[in-house]
């Protein structure tokens, strides 16, 4: 999972003296949507734990079900990804080189730690694919695109199927965003309604497949497009609503003041749905998640304030590492605990969470950020060279 998704809270440096700047420099971040990424990532970590069994033994079935539904954090990430991308890149793709710079930014943001997680899985878990086709597909992030070989999605680092799904979203997004920007508001609302109907009606968030090794949770990337489109439509509607209200009130702020009532209701509704057994009810999280994310961006509430605190902003920044590095980290913690003859499952889980957070913070500051800046500067220099090169006819 990702997702995923993906929102740079800092403005990248300009790419040349000609003004080829970062497309995201025109709009400030939405901090509450950064903070919620930490909880979504940790939800997946809990989902991959043995806590549900322990909770059932202590007669807490609702809490056990809540954790077992952690797979639904994946559609939350997908919806969030679409929302943030539309908020960030609305009206920017049409600029000269907009699509190219969007794909460059996504590659620089996602790929370095993605590859690092694969290397760690090789070292800690010995999960390098046997087949060269699986290795190459995973390296270029298309392993979850093949409907004829669903097992490929779980190769190497199992959770990376969601990054492969995000890669498909990144291919689609510029064209989808350009199309939506030219449509009237009622078309956005209709598109959103259709995508919600698909996600809920077909229970897309809960679709699972099994490959020959019995790996659970390896969906086909294209099946999750409705969830991503829900987020893109919601993000565009948020921008139009904010623009209309600011024109009336003369406001320039990003977050529209509000009482936060809908935010609280959406959060309560989401938690209630996640406490239900997987089925028709849990499919409605596609709607509750979309409403929650929209309101976190649009309303002032105690929840948005909490998610915007410095500690949770840091948690949101390192959430990508928390998601990607959970399996190699767990393998290494189990190995060390085994050598120390420490077999307490709750104790191991606490140690694993602490180690994972520390490892993810290290990865963010030592791998993600330096690699992103390095790759962006490489693309910038390459583009500047092309811009300044003489035409062939002048050589």
């Amino acid at each position: 999972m990702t997702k995923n998704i993906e929102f740079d809270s800092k403005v990248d440096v300009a790419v040349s003296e000609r003004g080829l700047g970062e497309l995201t420099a025109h709009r400030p971040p939405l901090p509450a949507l950064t903070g919620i990424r930490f909880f979504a990532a940790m939800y997946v970590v809990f989902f991959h734990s043995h806590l549900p069994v322990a909770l059932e033994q202590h007669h807490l079935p609702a809490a056990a079900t809540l954790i077992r539904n952690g797979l639904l954090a994946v559609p939350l990430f997908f919806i969030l990804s679409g929302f943030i991308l539309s908020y960030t890149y609305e009206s920017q793709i049409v600029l000269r080189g907009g699509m190219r710079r969007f794909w460059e930014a996504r590659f620089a943001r996602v790929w370095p730690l993605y590859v690092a997680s694969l290397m760690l899985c090789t070292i800690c878990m010995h999960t390098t694919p046997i087949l060269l086709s699986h290795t190459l597909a995973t390296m270029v992030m298309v392993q979850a695109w093949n409907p004829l070989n669903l097992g490929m999605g779980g190769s190497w680092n199992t959770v990376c199927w969601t990054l492969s799904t995000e890669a498909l979203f990144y291919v689609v997004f510029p064209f989808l965003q350009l199309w939506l920007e030219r449509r009237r508001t009622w078309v956005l609302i209709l598109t959103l309604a259709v995508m919600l109907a698909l996600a809920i009606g077909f229970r897309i968030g809960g679709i699972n497949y099994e490959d020959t090794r019995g790996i659970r949770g390896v969906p086909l990337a294209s099946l999750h497009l409705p969830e991503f489109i829900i987020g893109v439509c919601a993000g565009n509607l948020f921008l139009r609503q904010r623009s209309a209200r600011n024109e009336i009130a003369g406001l320039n702020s990003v977050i529209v003041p509000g009482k936060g009532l809908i935010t609280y209701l959406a959060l309560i509704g989401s938690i209630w749905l996640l406490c239900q057994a997987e089925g028709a009810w849990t499919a409605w999280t596609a709607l509750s998640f979309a409403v929650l994310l929209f309101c976190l961006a649009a309303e002032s509430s105690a929840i948005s304030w909490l998610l915007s605190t410095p500690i949770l902003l840091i948690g949101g920044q390192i959430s990508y590492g928390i998601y990607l590095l959970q399996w190699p980290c767990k393998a290494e913690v189990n190995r060390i605990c085994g050598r120390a003859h420490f077999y307490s499952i709750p104790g191991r889980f606490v140690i694993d969470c602490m180690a994972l957070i520390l490892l993810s913070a290290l990865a963010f500051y030592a791998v993600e950020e330096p690699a992103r800046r390095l790759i962006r500067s490489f693309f910038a220099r390459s583009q500047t060279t092309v811009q300044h090169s003489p035409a062939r006819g002048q050589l």
Side-chain angles (χ1 to χ4, degrees):
M1 143 179 335
T2 182
K3 125 104 280 146
N4 291 220
I5 2 131
E6 309 297 331
F7 182 71
D8 298 332
S9 61
K10 299 178 181 178
V11 175
D12 290 336
V13 295
V15 297
S16 78
E17 66 269 20
R18 289 195 173 194
L20 297 176
E22 167 61 34
L23 292 175
T24 61
H26 70 297
R27 202 166 276 150
L30 301 173
L33 299 189
T34 299
I36 199 173
R37 288 166 49 190
F38 173 75
F39 287 102
M42 291 304 300
Y43 192 19
V44 177
V45 174
F46 274 65
F47 168 70
H48 287 139
S49 71
H50 297 285
L51 288 179
V53 176
L55 289 170
E56 286 181 339
Q57 291 174 348
H58 287 81
H59 308 290
L60 296 170
T65 302
L66 176 66
I67 294 177
R68 283 203 173 96
N69 281 328
L71 180 64
L72 292 171
V74 173
L76 173 60
F77 271 122
F78 291 161
I79 295 171
L80 177 59
S81 177
F83 191 102
I84 290 299
L85 288 179
S86 61
Y87 171 79
T88 305
Y89 289 99
E90 186 267 344
S91 78
Q92 302 300 296
I93 301 296
V94 294
L95 299 177
R96 180 171 59 88
M99 283 192 184
R100 173 183 53 77
R101 280 188 283 160
F102 166 77
W103 287 320
E104 289 174 355
R106 294 299 89 206
F107 176 81
R109 177 68 177 85
V110 171
W111 200 72
L113 190 60
Y114 174 88
V115 172
S117 77
L118 299 179
M119 298 303 102
L120 282 177
C121 283
T122 296
I123 295 170
C124 300
M125 303 172 64
H126 310 290
T127 56
T128 308
I130 298 175
L131 297 178
L132 179 61
S133 60
H134 288 204
T135 301
L136 294 176
T138 304
M139 288 294 291
V140 298
M141 303 178 70
V142 297
Q143 69 271 30
W145 294 19
N146 187 355
L148 302 179
N149 190 353
L150 297 173
M152 186 186 296
S155 299
W156 215 331
N157 183 0
T158 306
V159 298
C160 283
W161 71 263
T162 59
L163 275 300
S164 177
T165 303
E166 284 283 346
L168 178 63
F169 296 163
Y170 296 156
V171 172
V172 171
F173 172 75
F175 306 100
L176 173 64
Q177 180 62 32
L178 285 174
W179 184 81
L180 289 174
E181 286 179 15
R182 299 186 179 110
R183 306 280 83 81
R184 294 181 181 273
T185 300
W186 71 266
V187 178
L188 265 71
I189 296 174
L190 178 61
T191 304
L192 175 61
V194 171
M195 293 300 108
L196 282 169
L198 288 174
I200 295 171
F202 290 95
R203 289 157 44 177
I204 293 174
I207 289 179
N208 291 294
Y209 296 91
E210 303 218 352
D211 66 10
T212 55
R213 294 171 296 165
I215 294 177
R216 181 174 179 270
V218 187
L220 181 65
S222 57
L223 290 178
H224 286 272
L225 278 170
E227 294 163 343
F228 177 70
I229 297 173
I230 288 170
V232 174
C233 291
N236 279 280
L237 287 172
F238 165 71
L239 284 169
R240 295 190 186 189
Q241 177 259 6
R242 186 198 67 166
S243 177
R245 184 171 297 190
N246 287 355
E247 286 180 5
I248 295 173
L251 301 174
N252 293 316
S253 59
V254 172
I255 297 179
V256 178
K259 296 181 180 179
L261 176 61
I262 302 178
T263 303
Y264 301 128
L265 292 176
L267 178 62
I268 293 170
S270 296
I271 294 174
W272 183 82
L273 289 170
L274 291 170
C275 289
Q276 308 305 307
E278 194 281 324
W281 279 112
T282 55
W284 284 88
T285 52
L287 175 60
S288 65
F289 288 160
V291 174
L292 177 61
L293 295 176
F294 186 96
C295 291
L296 285 175
E299 291 187 327
S300 295
S301 65
I303 298 172
S304 60
W305 173 84
L306 175 65
L307 293 173
S308 303
T309 54
I311 188 67
L312 284 180
L313 288 179
I314 294 174
Q317 288 178 326
I318 68 173
S319 61
Y320 184 45
I322 290 174
Y323 179 76
L324 276 181
L325 304 177
Q326 57 181 296
W327 284 115
C329 182
K330 179 184 290 188
E332 196 63 18
V333 167
N334 286 338
R335 184 182 66 82
I336 294 173
C337 288
R339 288 186 176 182
H341 304 287
F342 180 70
Y343 301 109
S344 169
I345 293 179
R348 284 192 178 193
F349 180 70
V350 171
I351 295 172
D352 178 40
C353 288
M354 295 173 60
L356 179 58
I357 291 173
L358 290 174
L359 177 62
S360 301
L362 176 63
F364 178 77
Y365 292 107
V367 178
E368 284 189 69
E369 286 293 280
R372 181 180 63 85
R373 288 193 295 266
L374 181 64
I375 294 173
R376 292 306 309 276
S377 64
F378 169 77
F379 284 134
R381 287 194 299 270
S382 301
Q383 182 62 17
T384 303
T385 301
V386 171
Q387 294 278 347
H388 290 177
S389 296
R392 287 189 178 183
Q394 298 173 333
L395 294 177

